[in-house]
Structures are given as structure tokens and as C-alpha cells.
Amino acid sequence: MDILPYFESNRSSLAERYRLEDSQVRELFGSHPGEARSWEDRAAYLDDTAGGRADLRRVAEAVKAYHRKLPAHAETDKALEKLEREGALVVVGGQQAGLFGGALLIYYKALSVIQAAREAERRLNRPVVPVFWIAGEDHDFDEANHVNVQTPGGEVRRVRIERPEGPRLAVSRTPLSAEQWADALRELAAQLPDTEFKPQLLDRLQSHVTDAPSLSLAFARLLADWFGKQGLLLLDADDPNLRALEGPMFRELISRSDELEEALKAGEGRVLAQGFKLQAETAPGSANLFLHHEQGRLLLHKDAGRFVDRRGVVSLSREEMLELTAHRPDLLSTNALTRPLMQDYLLPVLGTVLGPSEIAYWAILGPAFGEFGMRMPLLLPRQSFTYIEPAVAGLLDKYSLTVQQAIEDWETLRAEWLGSQDEWNLEEQFRRVKEQFAALYEPVMNTVSGLQPGLARLAESNRDRIVEQISYLESRSVDAIAKRHESSLRQWDRIRQSLTPLAKLQERVYGTIHFWNRYGPGWLTLWHDVPFDPAGGHRLVGGWPHPTER
């Protein structure tokens, strides 16, 4: 296995400066995983404040009930037992569900959660459980309903499930039919290249959806397959058993909604004062809560002492909202800014694994945590990777490219390579022809312009048309050179389609199943051997499987 750091080009971003332990940025968060003392201090704080959180035994019972719907593993049972122990801590990472596992970055986030929990357990010599928080309460179905794979022809193809007609419900509350799942699996089978691993992959995915589950539940089952033997616990933020335990925190969020709004604005001011742009600006009057309604998941705002939605579907008094916290907490839902607070109320969160954008919006949350008597957990940057396929590694060597060059400057380098194949020096020849033509034509233009003023414009138009025709011949000649080297240019395209499909990092486009199909389930388990780096950062990983193992 070959592992090399990839040096980010945007080293001034808030998330990257946090990752590199910039002292100024660190003030926004209060701690950093790069310091051993931060882990110990957070653990001691959680011990001291255990009474202010939800009953962990009841939380563990809810998680245990959820796992009865998922593939079972002995290691998961051990993790559930560990969660119930006195003094247990957790490392959490979350993501909205993704069809058939979604993009690679989700796999890497779950891997990061597991690795961080193991690292914390080693450091602190006490039980630390990895927990993956599925944001099933989110209603943006279009973010969850697809996965990208590479077709046999090398194109990126999106496989998706369309949202059923009707209100925009939470993803976990959006029913899907057996026919929709069958259609999605047929489309996936049609788009994936045929490999020795494909039949088993499709059979396993089929086993997860025979009962036509929600997108969130099918996603959880797949993650349980991938990480159950690593002891990863899964929970759905929209699980009614968990919601039943969240009423007291919802009550606080509603009772102190104005104070929360002020705290968030104060947090925004701190970020702006350091010269950063806001990842997402809070809306004036926002309640930072949603209401689950038959008309969909409704974002609530405050208006004249009432909680309303923008479409005028609901209007609830503060007392009515508080009544929901006691009797129907399942109708309430956090947003991106209150979910971290709820997460800390529900679980003893030692650290939370976040991607760059998440770190950027968490930067405003320090005052909000303080307002509710909490401290922000350790923020652990998600492990980020680009996988170098064996065939692509060979092509990089063939064209004397580094991975960083191929990622950041592919178009320029490809054009330069193609230009170097021009043994006729066409660019120079056509440049000289254009210059010679312009010199020969200038006296004619001067002469006809003197004969009649109107002829000057005609002469210019005539000149431009001739130059245009010369340029056309030049472009056709360049195309002819490209045609002669079509096979090599396809190899250049293969490099790009692997490393930066759709001009994005690999982990943000391809689904994990793309590589599972190509290299088999062993490819998934090999990631467990990649060393954990608490500071995160992007790394290049290659050297396996060996070409003879494919």
C-alpha cells in the first residue's frame, strides 16, 4: 500500500487552517485533536456533565431496537454493550443517506469515525464507541436519491430513484415501492461493467430492499454490511424511539429561541471578524427548527410571538410548541445548526467527524453551545482520499505525470502533450502564413480604401473571412493529429475520469459500489489498514490491489 499526502491548493480556507492548527482559527472552536490534553479535557467535561444529558441506557435501547432492522454482527452487539457501560463515550459522524451507499466520501467518513473511536480509546483507556448519525429527518430527497458509477465506456452515469409525488417529507418518512427499488437495481445492473464481483454485489443490494424500505433504512443496512464487523453503531435522527428522548432539549431550543438566534449571530460575527465568508448565513427570525406536517417538513420562523412557516400552513404559539415537546416530539426536527446541540444532548460526544464545509459552518456555533451550558466537542476532520487505480498508476508513469499534476492541471498538460506530437510544427507554419497574408493584403486594403470609402469595410470583411478559413484549416489539421493519437488521448481521458470525474475530486462523485464492483469486497476491507491521522487532510492511496489480483 502506497500512501502519500496531497497538498491542498486552498490552504487559506477556514477548514484547512483549522486542520493545520492555526491558533487564530482554533479560538472559534476551543480545542483541537492535535493536542493530547484536548481529548482528556473533553472526557473529563463529559463525566462532570453526564446528568445534563439524556439517559444513555435509554439511548442505547433505542439504538439497539434500530439495529434489529439491520444485518447483525457480533461486533455490533459488543459495541451496544459498551455504549451502556458507565463512562462510555462516543465519536460521531453523520451524513444524509445515499442510494446504494452514496458517494465514496460517506464511506471515508464512516471509516474516520471508527478509526477516531479506536484512537480515543487507546489514548484514554476507556470505552469509546463509533456512531454514525444518519440524517434521515432531512427532506432534500434529491441529495440522497442517487449514486454515480462509471459505465463500461468510461462515462459517469447517475442511477437514481425519483421522489414520489406529494409533500416533501423527511427522507426516512418518504415511502418507496418495490417497483421503484426493482427499477433502480435494473438500472444499476445495466450501467455497471460486468465483473466477477457484480452478481454478488447486486444480490446483496437486493437483500436490503426486499421489503421496500425507506432510502435511509436501505442505506443503514448497507453500512451495517460494510462496517458492522468494525463495531460501528448506526442511528437515524428521525427514529421515533430517539425522538421520544429529545423532548427536554427541544423544550430548551424553543424556550430560548431568541437567545439562540442572538448566539448564532454572535458566532457569525466572530467568523466574519477573522476575514472568512459564512458557509451559510442564518435568516433573521429563524426558529432553527422544522415541523413534520402532512404538507411536508416545514421550516419554522418566529412572527409576533408565534412559530409559523413561510407558506402559512401552520401557526403555533410558544405554548403549543412546548406542548409538542412533551407529547409529540416526533413532530419536531432540528436543522443543520441545532442538530449539533441535540447530538450533544443525546450522546456523550467526545468528538465529531466533519467534512470541510461542515467545519466551516460549525465555526459559528461556539456561542450557541455556550448559551445552552455546553462545550463544543472535538472536531475531527474527515479522512479524505483519492484512490490511484493500478491501471491509472501505469498511465501516470507513461506520461510522466504526478497525481497532483493530473488532478490540478490535466487540461493544460494534455494540450501540451498533444502539441509535442506535432512533428510538422503546424502552429508555427500557420502563424507565419497568417502574418505573410496580412502583409500581402495590407497594400490592397489601402488602395481600395482610397478608391471609395465604402470599400474599406468590404476589404476588412474579406480579409477576416480568409483568415477565418486559414484558422479552420489549422483546426482541422490539429484534429487530424489528435485522430492519429486517439488511443493515447483516451488514456489521458482515463486518467481524468478516474481521478477527477466531472472535474471534481473522485470521492465526491463515484459511489463506493463503483470500486466494489471493479475490485471486489476485499477492496473495502483494505481501507481499514490505512493509518489514522487525527488532523485529517487529503491523501493519495494506491499500490493495491496488485494488477494480477484484479
Side-chain angles (χ1 to χ4, degrees), residues 161-471:
I161 285 182
E162 296 298 334
R163 183 178 69 83
E165 293 294 328
R168 294 172 62 85
L169 303 174
V171 172
S172 292
R173 303 185 187 201
T174 301
L176 297 176
S177 67
E179 290 76 18
Q180 284 178 291
W181 280 115
D183 289 345
L185 281 167
R186 277 194 293 270
E187 177 66 11
L188 180 66
Q191 299 303 337
L192 282 175
D194 290 331
T195 69
E196 61 183 296
F197 309 111
K198 183 176 175 179
Q200 181 189 27
L201 180 155
L202 293 173
D203 285 346
R204 194 56 188 160
L205 294 178
Q206 174 65 54
S207 73
H208 296 154
V209 301
T210 52
D211 56 346
S214 70
L215 196 55
S216 298
L217 182 54
F219 172 76
R221 288 169 174 170
L222 184 53
L223 260 63
D225 263 355
W226 287 344
F227 296 108
K229 290 183 179 180
Q230 305 300 310
L232 180 68
L233 297 185
L234 298 154
L235 62 82
D236 186 338
D238 201 41
D239 182 354
N241 291 326
L242 287 177
R243 279 282 184 260
L245 305 177
E246 294 175 354
M249 188 61 197
F250 276 125
R251 186 175 187 86
E252 288 295 302
L253 292 172
I254 292 165
S255 298
R256 299 161 67 184
S257 181
D258 292 339
E259 291 86 345
L260 171 62
E261 184 178 0
E262 291 178 7
L264 292 173
K265 279 300 177 186
E268 289 179 346
R270 292 172 59 188
V271 171
L272 292 171
Q274 291 202 20
F276 296 107
K277 294 182 179 179
L278 298 176
Q279 181 68 23
E281 190 170 358
T282 59
S286 174
N288 294 291
L289 292 173
F290 285 88
L291 179 74
H292 292 291
H293 189 272
E294 61 183 15
Q295 294 298 314
R297 182 173 178 247
L298 307 176
L299 181 61
L300 298 177
H301 297 267
K302 295 173 290 184
D303 183 12
R306 300 186 71 80
F307 290 77
V308 301
D309 71 295
R310 294 297 193 198
R311 291 183 291 158
V313 176
V314 297
S315 176
L316 300 172
S317 68
R318 185 178 296 267
E319 290 70 26
E320 288 171 319
M321 289 288 291
L322 293 174
E323 185 71 14
L324 290 178
T325 70
H327 302 291
R328 292 300 307 273
D330 59 300
L331 296 182
L332 298 171
S333 171
T334 55
N335 72 352
L337 297 177
T338 49
R339 185 180 299 143
L341 301 172
M342 183 63 77
Q343 181 176 279
D344 245 45
Y345 169 75
L346 200 63
L347 295 163
V349 181
L350 177 69
T352 184
V353 173
L354 302 175
S357 296
E358 292 171 313
I359 290 175
Y361 81 71
W362 272 65
I364 75 168
L365 294 180
F369 272 92
E371 177 63 36
F372 290 87
M374 298 175 172
R375 294 182 192 171
M376 197 179 296
L378 286 173
L379 304 192
L380 304 163
R382 172 178 63 79
Q383 308 290 287
S384 179
F385 306 101
T386 292
Y387 173 61
I388 316 302
E389 299 181 77
V392 171
L395 294 176
L396 292 170
D397 288 341
K398 177 179 179 178
Y399 296 107
S400 301
L401 292 172
T402 67
V403 179
Q404 190 138 359
Q405 285 175 323
I407 290 176
E408 296 182 0
D409 210 17
W410 177 88
E411 288 187 4
T412 300
L413 294 169
R414 180 183 183 275
E416 289 177 355
W417 178 86
L418 183 59
S420 69
Q421 310 309 306
D422 178 11
E423 60 189 85
W424 305 274
N425 200 14
L426 288 177
E427 184 178 0
E428 178 62 21
Q429 285 197 58
F430 277 100
R431 185 189 64 78
R432 287 202 306 267
V433 166
K434 290 175 183 177
E435 288 180 351
Q436 291 169 2
F437 168 72
L440 289 171
Y441 196 75
E442 187 174 5
V444 175
M445 287 185 62
N446 293 335
T447 299
V448 299
S449 297
L451 289 173
Q452 185 179 329
L455 291 176
R457 184 174 298 175
L458 179 61
E460 289 178 1
S461 176
N462 188 49
R463 177 201 60 195
D464 293 344
R465 287 182 181 179
I466 294 172
V467 171
E468 183 181 337
Q469 288 300 309
I470 296 172
S471 297

Side-chain angles (χ1 to χ4, degrees), residues 37-50 53 87 89 124 126 350 375:
R37 184 175 175 181
S38 292
W39 299 76
E40 296 164 0
D41 288 349
R42 177 66 181 175
Y45 164 78
L46 291 170
D47 289 341
D48 292 341
T49 56
R53 291 189 297 275
L89 306 176
L124 301 173
R126 60 187 291 181
L350 177 69
R375 294 182 192 171

Side-chain angles (χ1 to χ4, degrees), residues 387-394 494 498-499 506 514-515 518-519 541:
Y387 173 61
I388 316 302
E389 299 181 77
V392 171
R494 171 82 170 89
S498 177
L499 301 180
Q506 178 192 84
H514 162 75
F515 293 97
R518 178 162 289 182
Y519 301 109
V541 179

